């Protein structure tokens, strides 16, 4: 097998070789929609590179230059006018994810119906995992690295009900599944930038350097085989997500195929939820003490009124729910929403059209920062939506974190909206409520402002080095 440096050199040569092919195709676009950036080959390259690390600036430039009309954004992969291609599923997971994505149906039906039964399991694992993760945080002035800590917590807590206690507490498995979740979105753009013929080779090289699906599958596949052989799936009826996936698998599905679908679910859970909870903690740590206490009071009152940790109690965590939704509005996950590929030539009117095979997306910031929809949009107000509930006397899910509409797009929209968002909302509410009840959170003494985000290829990533101190508050009365 090639060593690391040989693999890196090979990858560099491949990328250089494919650059001309990609660039020639990209610049040949002739749909009539104006392109942001300077004209010519050099202008295209400069703007594409700028998009990769400063996507927000490119979108703002296009919005100002073309006054709200459609415009083309050059990227290193292809033009995008403002999800297979985004994650390169045939390589990072497998092609069966596309032909019959029944895991999404399972999430929308069986898993969503099982959410009330998951609450005690998620709470139990949250308590155990956080006790271990924050054991020494209160005594250390530097605190813990928030993003990395939350990523491992999400992986462990989610897998309590995805694969069960055996794997969710297996440190080697957690390391493997977290590495998979973190490196998949990094590998996908390089695969995208490659010609179809070279994509398998590019994935092979990258997965050997960064880590791919192979390592976590060495834990999941034997686990599934053993459970099926022992008849546990049929007899125990534990309600695990993996159990529902097996029960709904078509007759021709292999155990390996089910395992890869569980990787898909893990990726969605770990990648998305770790970003949301990290960004939310960054904001909560800046709040005045009285605002944090108001969140605690609301949680305690909800638990008292509903007799403990139930779905009814979680539904009353309005301020936590509002904080999560505001994070989705203000920061989100990407600078664009609802990416689609044109299946035919699309006439936009005024002599403009989008040719077959081009990607179209919505400028999400233009919607999420529209003052006609969100007053004072450039202020991150974690209580924005809980205030709206109070003002309008509306206790419905209209202002909820997991509710999608035409003005709130971090989870997509319509029938393609994220199938796991209700599970994520349940898990994040429990985790944040437990943190608020059990810990005082603050930045280290030397930090006096919120950590900055990074961007990569249009994705928004919280500061992975930032730290927060979690200081235990002593025994509380709302653990069960």
């Amino acid at each position: 097998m090639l060593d690391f440096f040989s693999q890196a050199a090979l990858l560099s040569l491949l990328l250089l070789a494919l650059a001309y092919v990609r660039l020639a195709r990209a610049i040949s676009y002739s749909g009539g929609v104006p392109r942001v950036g300077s004209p010519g080959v050099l202008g295209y390259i400069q703007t594409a590179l700028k998009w990769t690390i400063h996507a927000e600036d490119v979108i703002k430039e296009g919005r100002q230059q073309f006054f709200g009309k459609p415009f083309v954004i050059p990227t290193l992969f292809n033009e995008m006018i403002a999800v297979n291609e985004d994650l390169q599923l045939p390589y990072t997971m497998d092609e069966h994810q596309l032909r019959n994505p029944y895991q999404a149906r399972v999430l929308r039906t069986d898993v969503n119906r099982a959410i009330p039964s998951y609450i005690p399991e998620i709470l139990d694992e949250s308590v155990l995992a956080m006790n271990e993760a924050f054991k020494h945080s209160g005594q250390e002035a530097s605190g813990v690295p928030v993003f990395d800590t939350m990523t491992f917590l999400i992986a462990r807590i989610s897998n309590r009900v995805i694969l069960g206690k055996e794997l969710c507490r297996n440190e080697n498995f957690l390391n493997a599944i977290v590495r998979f979740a973190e490196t998949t979105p990094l590998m996908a753009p390089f695969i995208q930038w490659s010609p179809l013929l070279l994509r398998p080779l590019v994935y092979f090289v990258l997965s050997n350097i960064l880590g791919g699906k192979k390592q976590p599958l060495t834990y999941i596949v034997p686990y599934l085989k053993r459970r099926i052989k022992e008849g546990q799936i049929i007899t125990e009826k534990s309600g695990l997500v993996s159990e529902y996936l097996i029960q709904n698998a078509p007759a021709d599905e292999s155990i390996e195929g089910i395992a890869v679908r569980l990787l898909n679910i893990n990726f969605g859970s770990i990648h998305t939820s770790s970003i949301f909870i990290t960004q939310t903690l960054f904001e909560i740590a800046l709040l005045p003490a009285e605002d944090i206490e108001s969140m605690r009071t609301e949680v305690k009152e909800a638990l008292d009124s509903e007799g403990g940790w139930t779905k009814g109690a979680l539904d009353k965590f309005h301020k936590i729910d509002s904080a999560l939704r505001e994070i989705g509005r203000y920061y989100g996950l990407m600078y664009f929403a609802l990416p689609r590929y044109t299946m035919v030539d699309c006439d936009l009117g005024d002599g403009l059209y989008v040719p077959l095979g081009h990607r179209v997306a919505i400028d999400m910031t233009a919607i999420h920062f529209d003052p006609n929809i969100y007053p004072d949009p450039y202020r991150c107000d974690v209580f924005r939506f809980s205030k709206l509930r109070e003002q309008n006397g509306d206790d419905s899910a209209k202002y909820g974190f997991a509710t999608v509409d035409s003005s709130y797009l971090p989870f997509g929209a319509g029938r393609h909206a994220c199938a796991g968002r209700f599970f994520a909302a349940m898990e994040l509410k429990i985790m944040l409520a437990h943190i608020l009840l059990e810990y005082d959170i603050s930045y280290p003494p030397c930090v006096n402002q919120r950590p900055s985000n990074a961007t990569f290829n249009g994705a928004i990533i919280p500061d992975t080095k930032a730290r927060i101190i979690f200081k235990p508050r002593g025994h509380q009365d709302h653990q069960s």
Side-chain angles (χ1 to χ4, degrees):
M1 180 168 297
L2 296 173
D3 61 26
F4 173 85
F5 294 105
S6 298
Q7 291 172 340
L10 175 59
L11 179 61
S12 299
L13 289 172
L14 288 174
L15 291 176
L16 287 172
L18 64 88
Y20 176 78
V21 177
R22 282 288 175 200
L23 191 58
R25 182 190 171 199
I27 295 175
S28 67
Y29 168 78
S30 58
V33 179
R35 192 182 80 202
V36 66
S38 302
V41 175
L42 185 59
Y44 186 100
I45 295 173
Q46 289 175 334
T47 309
L49 290 171
K50 186 177 180 181
W51 163 261
T52 304
I53 56 176
H54 294 297
E56 185 177 16
D57 293 343
V58 175
I59 290 177
K60 285 181 178 178
E61 182 181 344
R63 201 183 304 149
Q64 293 169 359
Q65 186 175 354
F66 302 111
F67 306 102
K69 294 181 179 179
F71 58 90
V72 172
I73 295 175
T75 75
L76 294 178
F77 162 60
N78 200 346
E79 312 78 18
M80 179 171 63
I81 301 179
V83 138
N84 165 35
E85 286 292 344
D86 289 332
L87 291 178
Q88 287 297 302
L89 296 182
Y91 308 100
T92 58
M93 297 185 202
D94 69 28
E95 60 185 10
H96 300 99
Q97 307 283 314
L98 305 172
R99 288 205 293 261
N100 180 15
Y102 69 86
Q103 71 275 6
R105 184 177 67 252
V106 170
L107 288 172
R108 290 191 181 96
T109 54
D110 298 289
V111 172
N112 283 345
R113 286 195 293 263
I115 282 176
S117 68
Y118 290 155
I119 292 173
E121 304 291 315
I122 295 293
L123 175 63
D124 181 55
E125 205 60 40
S126 295
V127 173
L128 293 172
M130 288 184 194
N131 283 345
E132 295 175 16
F134 305 147
K135 187 182 300 181
H136 303 296
S137 175
Q139 292 92 40
E140 297 178 1
S142 61
V144 299
V146 187
F147 184 71
D148 287 347
T149 302
M150 290 301 142
T151 300
F152 275 86
L153 285 175
I154 292 286
R156 174 172 171 175
I157 295 166
S158 298
N159 275 291
R160 171 70 178 261
V161 297
I162 295 175
L163 289 162
K165 290 182 183 180
E166 177 185 334
L167 285 184
C168 89
R169 296 175 185 174
N170 183 317
E171 190 170 344
N172 291 329
F173 167 70
L174 291 179
N175 286 327
I177 199 68
V178 164
R179 191 181 185 199
F180 168 79
E182 290 180 337
T183 58
T184 293
L186 295 178
M187 289 190 287
F190 289 96
I191 301 170
Q192 282 182 328
W193 299 335
S194 308
L196 285 173
L197 193 62
L198 293 178
R199 288 183 180 185
L201 179 58
V202 172
Y203 173 72
F204 173 79
V205 174
L206 285 173
S207 61
N208 276 281
I209 296 173
L210 300 175
K213 61 192 173 187
K214 183 177 179 180
Q215 190 176 6
L217 287 178
T218 61
Y219 296 93
I220 298 175
V221 171
Y223 169 79
L224 292 178
K225 287 181 177 178
R226 188 174 69 255
R227 280 185 63 84
I228 293 172
K229 183 178 179 181
E230 294 172 356
Q232 289 176 300
I233 294 295
I234 298 173
T235 60
E236 288 188 2
K237 297 293 181 184
S238 64
L240 294 175
V241 176
S242 53
E243 178 181 292
Y244 289 129
L245 217 58
I246 291 171
Q247 292 169 351
N248 286 272
D252 62 348
E253 180 70 290
S254 65
I255 291 178
E256 290 74 12
I258 295 171
V260 174
R261 292 176 192 276
L262 288 165
L263 285 185
N264 189 321
I265 291 172
N266 259 285
F267 170 78
S269 174
I270 296 169
H271 176 71
T272 302
S273 295
S274 60
I275 291 174
F276 271 114
I277 196 169
T278 298
Q279 301 279 36
T280 305
L281 288 170
F282 284 167
E283 294 297 327
I284 290 177
L286 293 172
L287 291 176
E290 58 268 25
D291 284 346
I292 294 178
E293 195 56 42
S294 74
M295 298 177 81
R296 290 190 182 115
T297 299
E298 183 180 73
V299 170
K300 293 174 184 176
E301 290 176 350
L303 295 176
D304 288 341
S305 67
E306 295 294 326
W309 294 81
T310 64
K311 185 178 183 301
L314 267 60
D315 289 342
K316 293 183 177 181
F317 294 176
H318 293 164
K319 291 184 177 181
I320 290 177
D321 196 59
S322 174
L324 288 166
R325 187 175 177 92
E326 179 70 345
I327 292 301
R329 180 197 75 85
Y330 194 86
Y331 297 107
L333 302 170
M334 306 287 289
Y335 284 109
F336 57 88
L338 308 180
R340 299 289 187 268
Y341 273 86
T342 52
M343 305 299 290
V344 296
D345 290 348
C346 299
D347 187 353
L348 301 179
D350 298 328
L352 306 180
Y353 74 97
V354 182
L356 165 71
H358 282 70
R359 190 160 64 149
V360 180
I362 292 173
D363 176 2
M364 187 152 58
T365 57
I367 295 173
H368 284 186
F369 291 85
D370 184 344
N372 297 313
I373 303 172
Y374 300 106
D376 195 9
Y378 289 96
R379 182 168 72 94
C380 183
D381 178 3
V382 295
F383 301 134
R384 179 184 298 272
F385 297 101
S386 57
K387 290 174 185 174
L388 286 173
R389 284 181 187 266
E390 293 177 10
Q391 293 168 7
N392 299 330
D394 189 346
D395 199 34
S396 69
K398 177 181 178 181
Y399 301 114
F401 171 54
T403 301
V404 298
D405 57 44
S406 60
S407 302
Y408 180 72
L409 300 171
F411 292 115
R415 64 191 184 97
H416 294 295
C418 173
R421 66 190 187 278
F422 297 104
F423 178 92
M426 174 270 296
E427 181 180 37
L428 292 176
K429 284 183 183 181
I430 290 173
M431 292 178 67
L432 287 168
H434 176 69
I435 289 172
L436 286 167
L437 293 179
E438 294 294 326
Y439 300 92
D440 287 318
I441 65 173
S442 62
Y443 287 107
C446 59
V447 178
N448 54 23
Q449 63 182 4
R450 189 195 190 283
S452 300
N453 295 324
T455 62
F456 177 70
N457 204 38
I460 302 165
I461 306 159
D463 187 334
T464 59
K465 303 298 182 184
R467 290 174 170 262
I468 283 181
I469 298 169
F470 294 81
K471 184 178 180 180
R473 304 181 65 238
H475 177 70
Q476 305 296 317
D477 299 324
H478 294 279
Q479 286 305 306
S480 60

